[in-house]
Amino acid sequence: MSEKILEVKNLKQYFGTSKNPIKAVDGISFDIYEGETLGLVGESGCGKSTTGRSIIRLYDITEGEVRFKGKNVHGTKSRKEMKQFNREMQMIFQDPYASLNPRMTAGEAISEGFEIHGLYKSKAERKEVVDSLLEAVGLNSEHANRYAHEFSGGQRQRIGIARALSLNPSFIIADEPISALDVSIQAQVVNLLKKLQYERNLTYLFIAHDLSMVKYISDRIAVMYMGKIVELGRADEIYNHPIHPYTKSLLSAVPLPDPLSERKRKRIIYVHEEADDSATLQEVYPNHFVYGTSEQIDRWKV
Ligand code: ADP
């Protein structure tokens, strides 16, 4: 197995007041290995975005630790170290229209990071890099002078991806990058992300609210529910041998390609069971973790 690029240890991110905290992320731990894609899945409001935003330092975390390439992300940092983090970790957002400035051309949006980091001083050099990024995401140099409203949703997401790649990052958090796109376009964007991962040795945290597309991109999947990771394992293991009832419920919502199986598919409704303080994320099978008490897990396994 390759090196750990990211280590998240007992991460907590609370909002609200200390009397009335909103426990958006409530003590989660996981690692991401270099070159892999970890899918982070769960229904809306379970804390996925907050996890991504905490990792990339958009928030001061409440508790816990995030290490990127061995270094504490939230520790006091020199300006130089901060800049380095900012280059290496990038984010792709759900709504590419909202994340692009309507008054900027695609070329300006893509090169904004260069300006901030003082890279590529000459105009010609900048243009060359922008053109190669546009090409890398399946667009071309003619697109550089157009504005966000002149693009389709899928093309805008491609520009969002080119922008994220502009500083040559090693780790990308993709926060529901395909949720706002037509189903026919979703697969294209997933394929593009896979191709870029292979070409540039990227590591992804891929956030999604359902399991349907996540299967095609993830090596491992973490299932999140109410601020906690309830199941974590290899993607095929999560699909074929889910243990936590919440994972089973999420899987039962995925339409099946075979019409016969699809007709027989039954939705499983998850009924939340309170767990006592002994509940933990336990390794039930090698590299397959489930959150619960021992009694619950024994019951769910059968
Ligand atoms: P997801 O990405 O899974 O939809 P979020 O991480 O956006 O979930 O939100 C998790 C919980 O935290 C929700 O209850 C949400 O309302 C709350 N939350 C998220 N961001 C904030 C914030 N900045 N202030 C207060 N509450 C927040």
Short mmCIF file of all heavy atoms in Angstrom, two decimals, residues 29 33 41-42 44 50 115 131 143 147 164 183-184 202 217-218 237 244-245 281:
data_model
loop_
_atom_site.label_atom_id
_atom_site.label_comp_id
_atom_site.label_asym_id
_atom_site.label_seq_id
_atom_site.Cartn_x
_atom_site.Cartn_y
_atom_site.Cartn_z
N SER A 29 -12.32 9.73 12.24
CA SER A 29 -10.93 9.42 11.96
C SER A 29 -10.84 8.59 10.68
O SER A 29 -11.62 7.66 10.52
CB SER A 29 -10.33 8.57 13.10
OG SER A 29 -10.41 9.27 14.32
N TYR A 33 -4.71 7.45 1.33
CA TYR A 33 -3.41 7.04 0.80
C TYR A 33 -3.13 7.73 -0.53
O TYR A 33 -4.07 8.02 -1.30
CB TYR A 33 -3.36 5.52 0.64
CG TYR A 33 -3.45 4.81 1.98
CD1 TYR A 33 -4.68 4.51 2.55
CD2 TYR A 33 -2.29 4.51 2.68
CE1 TYR A 33 -4.75 3.90 3.80
CE2 TYR A 33 -2.35 3.91 3.93
CZ TYR A 33 -3.59 3.61 4.48
OH TYR A 33 -3.66 3.02 5.71
N VAL A 41 -19.67 9.50 1.66
CA VAL A 41 -21.08 9.48 1.27
C VAL A 41 -22.01 9.58 2.46
O VAL A 41 -21.71 9.05 3.54
CB VAL A 41 -21.42 8.11 0.60
CG1 VAL A 41 -22.61 8.24 -0.31
CG2 VAL A 41 -20.26 7.57 -0.14
N GLY A 42 -23.16 10.20 2.25
CA GLY A 42 -24.17 10.28 3.30
C GLY A 42 -25.20 11.30 2.90
O GLY A 42 -24.95 12.13 2.02
N SER A 44 -27.79 14.51 2.86
CA SER A 44 -27.56 15.94 3.03
C SER A 44 -27.63 16.32 4.52
O SER A 44 -28.51 15.87 5.23
CB SER A 44 -28.64 16.66 2.22
OG SER A 44 -28.53 18.00 2.40
N THR A 50 -18.63 19.91 5.66
CA THR A 50 -17.90 20.46 6.80
C THR A 50 -16.58 19.69 6.97
O THR A 50 -15.55 20.30 7.28
CB THR A 50 -18.76 20.38 8.08
OG1 THR A 50 -20.00 21.04 7.82
CG2 THR A 50 -18.08 21.03 9.25
N GLU A 115 -1.57 34.24 -10.33
CA GLU A 115 -1.33 35.65 -9.95
C GLU A 115 -1.06 35.72 -8.45
O GLU A 115 -0.10 36.34 -8.02
CB GLU A 115 -2.56 36.52 -10.27
CG GLU A 115 -3.18 36.30 -11.64
CD GLU A 115 -2.37 36.95 -12.77
OE1 GLU A 115 -1.58 37.85 -12.45
OE2 GLU A 115 -2.53 36.53 -13.93
N ASP A 131 -3.80 27.32 -21.69
CA ASP A 131 -4.21 26.49 -22.83
C ASP A 131 -4.00 25.01 -22.53
O ASP A 131 -4.84 24.17 -22.86
CB ASP A 131 -3.43 26.88 -24.09
CG ASP A 131 -3.90 28.23 -24.64
OD1 ASP A 131 -4.90 28.76 -24.10
OD2 ASP A 131 -3.27 28.75 -25.57
N HIS A 143 -11.74 28.66 -25.68
CA HIS A 143 -12.65 28.85 -24.55
C HIS A 143 -12.12 29.86 -23.54
O HIS A 143 -12.86 30.34 -22.68
CB HIS A 143 -12.90 27.51 -23.84
CG HIS A 143 -13.71 26.56 -24.65
ND1 HIS A 143 -13.19 25.39 -25.17
CD2 HIS A 143 -15.00 26.60 -25.06
CE1 HIS A 143 -14.13 24.75 -25.85
NE2 HIS A 143 -15.24 25.46 -25.80
N TYR A 147 -16.96 33.86 -21.02
CA TYR A 147 -17.41 34.05 -19.63
C TYR A 147 -18.26 32.85 -19.17
O TYR A 147 -18.82 32.11 -20.00
CB TYR A 147 -18.22 35.34 -19.51
CG TYR A 147 -17.35 36.56 -19.73
CD1 TYR A 147 -17.16 37.08 -21.01
CD2 TYR A 147 -16.68 37.15 -18.66
CE1 TYR A 147 -16.32 38.17 -21.22
CE2 TYR A 147 -15.85 38.24 -18.86
CZ TYR A 147 -15.66 38.74 -20.14
OH TYR A 147 -14.83 39.82 -20.33
N ALA A 164 -8.72 24.22 -10.29
CA ALA A 164 -8.17 23.47 -9.15
C ALA A 164 -6.80 22.88 -9.50
O ALA A 164 -5.95 22.74 -8.63
CB ALA A 164 -9.14 22.36 -8.74
N VAL A 183 -27.49 13.60 -15.61
CA VAL A 183 -26.93 12.25 -15.46
C VAL A 183 -25.98 11.91 -16.61
O VAL A 183 -24.92 11.32 -16.41
CB VAL A 183 -28.06 11.21 -15.35
CG1 VAL A 183 -27.51 9.80 -15.32
CG2 VAL A 183 -28.88 11.47 -14.09
N SER A 184 -26.34 12.32 -17.82
CA SER A 184 -25.50 11.99 -18.99
C SER A 184 -24.13 12.65 -18.90
O SER A 184 -23.14 12.16 -19.46
CB SER A 184 -26.19 12.42 -20.27
OG SER A 184 -26.46 13.80 -20.21
N LEU A 202 -2.97 12.15 -8.70
CA LEU A 202 -3.74 12.91 -7.73
C LEU A 202 -4.39 11.99 -6.71
O LEU A 202 -4.67 10.83 -7.00
CB LEU A 202 -4.85 13.69 -8.45
CG LEU A 202 -4.39 14.75 -9.44
CD1 LEU A 202 -5.56 15.22 -10.30
CD2 LEU A 202 -3.77 15.93 -8.69
N ILE A 217 -15.70 5.66 -9.00
CA ILE A 217 -14.47 6.45 -8.82
C ILE A 217 -13.70 6.07 -7.55
O ILE A 217 -12.49 6.27 -7.49
CB ILE A 217 -14.76 7.97 -8.87
CG1 ILE A 217 -13.45 8.76 -8.95
CG2 ILE A 217 -15.64 8.45 -7.72
CD1 ILE A 217 -13.56 10.10 -9.53
N SER A 218 -14.39 5.47 -6.55
CA SER A 218 -13.72 5.30 -5.26
C SER A 218 -12.97 3.98 -5.12
O SER A 218 -13.46 2.94 -5.55
CB SER A 218 -14.76 5.36 -4.14
OG SER A 218 -15.50 6.53 -4.24
N GLU A 237 -16.26 -4.00 -1.13
CA GLU A 237 -16.69 -4.58 0.14
C GLU A 237 -17.96 -3.86 0.66
O GLU A 237 -18.91 -4.50 1.09
CB GLU A 237 -15.52 -4.42 1.12
CG GLU A 237 -15.72 -4.97 2.49
CD GLU A 237 -15.62 -6.50 2.60
OE1 GLU A 237 -15.27 -7.16 1.60
OE2 GLU A 237 -15.93 -7.00 3.70
N HIS A 244 -23.43 -1.96 8.31
CA HIS A 244 -24.24 -0.98 9.05
C HIS A 244 -25.60 -0.81 8.35
O HIS A 244 -25.66 -0.67 7.12
CB HIS A 244 -23.51 0.36 9.13
CG HIS A 244 -24.07 1.25 10.19
ND1 HIS A 244 -25.27 1.90 10.05
CD2 HIS A 244 -23.61 1.56 11.43
CE1 HIS A 244 -25.52 2.60 11.15
NE2 HIS A 244 -24.52 2.41 12.01
N PRO A 245 -26.70 -0.81 9.12
CA PRO A 245 -28.03 -0.68 8.49
C PRO A 245 -28.19 0.62 7.69
O PRO A 245 -28.95 0.65 6.72
CB PRO A 245 -29.01 -0.70 9.67
CG PRO A 245 -28.23 -0.83 10.90
CD PRO A 245 -26.79 -1.02 10.58
N LEU A 281 -15.74 2.84 16.21
CA LEU A 281 -15.53 2.35 14.85
C LEU A 281 -14.64 1.11 14.96
O LEU A 281 -13.48 1.22 15.30
CB LEU A 281 -14.87 3.44 14.00
CG LEU A 281 -14.82 3.23 12.50
CD1 LEU A 281 -16.21 3.23 11.88
CD2 LEU A 281 -13.99 4.31 11.82
#
